[in-house]
Amino acid sequence: MNVIQNSALTHQSEYAKKLRPMLPPAAFLPDRNKIVILLINVALLVLGWAIASYLDRWTWYWLPLYFPLALLMGNSVIVLLFSSHDLMHSSAIKAPRFRRIVSLVGLAMLWMPPTLWQIVHNREHHTHTNSVADPDRNYLYEQPNTWGKWIQNQFSPSSDVHPLGLAVGMATAWGIYTFRNLTSVLLFNNESVNYVPAAFRVSPKERAAIASEFFGILGLHLSILCYLQFHPLKLALSYFLPIGIGYAGIIFYVYTNHMLCRLTSVNDPLANSISIKVPKLFDLLHLNFSYHTEHHIFPGINSDYYPLVQTLLQTHYPTKAGYVLPAKAAWQLLLQTPRHYRDDVTFTTWSGETSIPCPLEQNAQKIDPTPIAELRKV
């Protein structure tokens, strides 16, 4: 199988420099509609909890009527992350205090302090995408078999994952992701922390902000639980179920963003990121988050213009335009490949007994996920 050599990689800045003049000025203007979208979805969650406060008065045969609302609330959890993600990449909110409040509200259901998100996502992930220094990458085979590595091995999509483990992981992986990064910086704050894929440091000021924001988020969640009177039925249907649905939707995108890609020492989004094709309804609901490679080229652009960026990429870089995969094909590839890096272009299992070349070629549209098993070698 052909693989992309480092000499063939192009830095993100080169794509941006070439394509920016071809985009309309409006694409780079602050999109304050994301604030409205964020607030609407906060309101939907509040409405769901308000209705849930009466669930103990419902007879059992009426309870299934709450499930569509729980699904809607789960989607709101997804949208809160994606709208906050867009807002924190842009200049839509210029006042620092207001920006912090809005981002705190938007990320609270994700248990993610906005200062930590700004660091782990904007600063670390976007600067070191799918390199050894990226905190969002797969673990390396050579890294110690810590609890963080074990959890990802047991619950992330791979050729070895158990279906039950995968189901549990879909609903909880985001929480584990937040927990391991949060504890890494608050408890240790050094590059020697080995239970995260790639540790990073924060300044004392950032560390204090992360801690204060976390306690604010904790207080908000406790307030929700108190409002629901710690009632098991209310909590199950209006708190844990929507959060589980939301986390599963988010982590589906996260898994397909980069986990199939090779490691890269040069930040080339067309080599280390994947965009997936989803039904238009999901692009509408989820702010075009499926256009993930386009986002990595222009992190601060209005997400409404991602489809135009994709068209430009496919026009001007036709030999690399295969970074776009149907969502089903990307998911099948995840389930047919191991999840640890043996080297830059090889995936391997926890034991290291089975290895497989990275299945993504320069033109990923040629990939047929069916015969992946034939590529395995022991």
Side-chain angles (χ1 to χ4, degrees):
M1 172 173 286
N2 295 327
V3 294
I4 305 172
Q5 302 300 320
N6 282 340
S7 59
L9 297 178
T10 302
H11 194 272
Q12 170 267 337
S13 60
E14 294 299 316
Y15 296 117
K17 181 180 179 180
K18 180 173 181 176
L19 299 182
R20 177 159 185 150
M22 305 175 195
L23 292 165
F28 300 93
L29 295 177
D31 182 14
R32 293 182 175 83
N33 289 330
K34 300 300 189 299
I35 303 174
V36 177
I37 292 171
L38 186 151
L39 295 177
I40 288 173
N41 283 277
V42 169
L44 288 173
L45 287 172
V46 172
L47 174 64
W49 294 322
I51 295 174
S53 66
Y54 295 95
L55 285 177
D56 54 342
R57 305 179 192 180
W58 292 22
T59 52
W60 66 268
Y61 50 80
W62 289 112
L63 291 178
L65 293 177
Y66 193 84
F67 288 119
L69 182 55
L71 182 61
L72 183 64
M73 294 170 70
N75 184 71
S76 290
V77 173
I78 298 173
V79 178
L80 285 178
L81 174 64
F82 293 167
S83 56
S84 300
H85 166 267
D86 285 6
L87 286 170
M88 294 185 72
H89 271 297
S90 74
S91 58
I93 304 176
K94 296 187 181 297
R97 183 173 297 179
F98 181 54
R99 182 186 181 93
R100 187 179 186 188
I101 292 172
V102 171
S103 58
L104 184 63
V105 171
L107 294 173
M109 296 309 297
L110 287 304
W111 289 91
M112 176 61 72
T115 300
L116 177 59
W117 178 255
Q118 185 76 28
I119 295 167
V120 71
H121 181 77
N122 292 28
R123 189 174 79 191
E124 299 295 329
H125 173 61
H126 270 269
T127 303
H128 309 292
T129 308
N130 238 48
S131 71
V132 174
D134 184 2
D136 291 357
R137 62 164 167 79
N138 295 313
Y139 286 88
L140 309 178
Y141 172 71
E142 64 192 41
Q143 288 184 268
N145 293 334
T146 60
W147 64 264
K149 185 178 179 182
W150 181 86
I151 287 176
Q152 181 163 302
N153 183 71
Q154 295 297 314
F155 301 114
S156 64
S158 73
S159 54
D160 297 324
V161 71
H162 190 279
L164 179 59
L166 179 60
V168 172
M170 293 299 289
T172 60
W174 179 266
I176 297 299
Y177 169 77
T178 300
F179 177 78
R180 72 188 188 195
N181 284 302
L182 188 64
T183 56
S184 174
V185 297
L186 289 184
L187 300 182
F188 305 104
N189 197 31
N190 59 64
E191 287 86 357
S192 64
V193 178
N194 62 8
Y195 60 79
V196 293
F200 54 90
R201 294 177 60 87
V202 300
S203 70
K205 182 179 180 180
E206 290 168 335
R207 198 179 190 190
I210 291 169
S212 65
E213 290 164 359
F214 170 74
F215 283 111
I217 290 171
L218 176 62
L220 180 60
H221 279 265
L222 289 175
S223 298
I224 296 169
L225 300 182
C226 289
Y227 177 73
L228 297 172
Q229 301 174 313
F230 293 93
H231 191 284
L233 179 63
K234 298 177 184 179
L235 294 180
L237 294 184
S238 71
Y239 182 78
F240 291 109
L241 181 58
I243 288 177
I245 292 171
Y247 285 11
I250 290 168
I251 210 67
F252 176 85
Y253 283 104
V254 171
Y255 283 150
T256 57
N257 288 164
H258 306 285
M259 294 184 81
L260 277 171
C261 300
R262 56 158 294 171
L263 285 173
T264 55
S265 58
V266 176
N267 189 4
D268 184 343
L270 271 68
N272 60 31
S273 307
I274 290 176
S275 291
I276 57 174
K277 296 178 182 178
V278 299
K280 293 297 182 184
L281 175 62
F282 289 103
D283 278 335
L284 179 64
L285 290 174
H286 300 154
L287 311 178
N288 284 333
F289 197 80
S290 66
Y291 292 84
H292 199 71
T293 302
E294 293 76 12
H295 164 66
H296 270 265
I297 293 175
F298 294 108
I301 199 176
N302 183 340
S303 59
D304 295 345
Y305 290 86
Y306 287 163
L308 177 56
V309 176
Q310 185 172 108
T311 299
L312 292 173
L313 285 171
Q314 293 176 337
T315 299
H316 295 278
Y317 299 94
T319 60
K320 292 187 174 184
Y323 68 88
V324 183
L325 284 174
K328 181 179 179 181
W331 188 251
Q332 287 176 331
L333 287 171
L334 283 168
L335 291 176
Q336 294 178 12
T337 51
R339 282 285 71 79
H340 307 289
Y341 286 118
R342 180 176 288 279
D343 55 43
D344 287 3
V345 295
T346 309
F347 294 129
T348 193
T349 55
W350 173 272
S351 65
E353 295 178 355
T354 302
S355 297
I356 181 173
C358 172
L360 301 182
E361 299 175 298
Q362 280 187 310
N363 188 349
Q365 290 174 340
K366 296 179 180 178
I367 291 177
D368 175 6
T370 303
I372 282 293
E374 300 174 7
L375 297 172
R376 291 188 177 182
K377 57 183 180 181
V378 177

